[in-house]
Amino acid sequence: MTVTALQPSTGTLLYLSRQHIAEAGGESPALYAEVIEEALKLHAQGQYVQPLKPYLRVPGEGGEPGHIADRIIAMPSYVGGDMKVSGLKWIGSKHDNPGTRGLERASGIIVLNDPASNYPIALMEAALISSMRTAAVTAVGVKYLAKRTFASVTVIGCGLIAERQLQAVCELFPQVTVVHLYDTRPQAASRLAERIAAAYQQVSCRVEDSAEQAVRCGDVVIPCTVADQPYISYSWLRPGAFVSNISIMDLHKDVFLQADKVVVDDWEQSNREKKIIHQLVQEGLFSKDALHAELGEIAAGLKPGRERDDEIIVLNPMGMALEDIACAYRIYERAVGQGIGIPLPLYE
């Protein structure tokens, strides 16, 4: 049985496991960076539909609120442009999966739909795509918001997401010569340092004794934690630093208030869920008018990115379904073209 892209009349969809996705090129930082930049431009041009994503959170024992990273998120989107595809990422996370269950923290699936009929055309493993597209958002941010002469990268939290981030930045920006690492578990930082140093011969890896020490060393700073309280102060950031705040809760309010530019991926997504920007808006200290830009506006040339080497710039990307569905669709196209995956009948 063969599967043809966007032809669901046979009642067949294509299943792509993580291994299938990797075989179709789904471990290539360059592929994701290209697609993410395209998707961000579509966002700036309004060629998408993206409802606010709901969070499913289950109270812990005794009814108390769970950890901030313990949730399942439904992320639907329609992507326009030359893709014209709909889809949903359904991704779950438990902060204690690695330590308690020996599992990756996040898991999920992506469903792609043909928007002409709304029939499903693909079912795909989501965690690989999700981690790679998150790294690609940072890479696009680095392209437009980091100073051109940057050479040092700091990562706080040394799990899978951190490794994906470093993979993208070190491969796409070979000017990186030193990586500073910190984790509350020193062994995690040491293991990541060994892997990055082995993969990128030009990179020297240093495990730092504190988050502050690591942040003070970085031209590019990437928090990759499950922190539920901020700990990074503005005073830690060196002149010209670019912060890709992918784990959202790591920066104190003073960082947003004193940074030269604050950029988000999507204002509506960022101003919700009691995150730091939302807290500042509620307190009357920040607003959409105070925002420099959405990242897609910069990628599309509608607003400037970095304009001076000494600017401190913060990117606060909540993560958009638009990005996941665009990346998944490009991988699906490649899989169909290469005959990768397992056709599944909708009907017996």
Side-chain angles (χ1 to χ4, degrees), residues 234-286:
Y234 179 80
S235 63
W236 294 8
L237 300 172
R238 64 198 309 178
F242 163 61
V243 184
S244 182
N245 188 36
I246 63 165
S247 46
I248 301 301
M249 291 298 292
D250 302 66
L251 305 184
H252 277 294
K253 293 176 182 178
D254 67 334
V255 178
F256 294 96
L257 296 177
Q258 296 184 55
D260 294 285
K261 288 173 180 169
V262 176
V263 178
V264 299
D265 50 0
D266 181 278
W267 172 253
E268 298 301 327
Q269 300 276 6
S270 297
N271 182 28
R272 64 179 303 219
E273 274 291 303
K274 300 181 179 179
K275 300 298 190 290
I276 302 300
I277 284 181
H278 184 63
Q279 293 175 29
L280 289 169
V281 170
Q282 288 186 314
E283 294 165 9
L285 299 175
F286 199 80

Side-chain angles (χ1 to χ4, degrees), residues 43-65:
H43 182 267
Q45 296 159 3
Q47 297 188 55
Y48 73 101
V49 178
Q50 183 173 260
L52 287 177
K53 53 191 178 187
Y55 287 64
L56 176 62
R57 288 195 168 100
V58 178
E61 294 183 9
E64 74 278 4

Side-chain angles (χ1 to χ4, degrees), residues 123-202:
L123 178 66
M124 308 171 66
E125 196 272 336
L128 175 56
I129 292 172
S130 188
S131 64
M132 292 296 291
R133 71 86 165 143
T134 302
V137 172
T138 291
V140 174
V142 168
K143 176 179 176 179
Y144 290 102
L145 302 175
K147 61 182 181 181
R148 292 185 178 181
T149 58
F150 88 92
S152 61
V153 178
T154 288
V155 167
I156 308 297
C158 296
L160 172 65
I161 296 301
E163 188 163 359
R164 297 294 190 199
Q165 294 282 319
L166 289 173
Q167 178 187 3
V169 174
C170 291
E171 287 193 20
L172 298 175
F173 301 93
Q175 69 207 59
V176 175
T177 58
V178 59
V179 169
H180 302 271
L181 303 170
Y182 174 75
D183 196 295
T184 55
R185 305 157 299 153
Q187 65 276 19
S190 296
R191 288 195 298 266
L192 181 56
E194 291 173 1
R195 292 195 296 274
I196 295 302
Y200 306 100
Q201 301 300 316
Q202 82 279 10

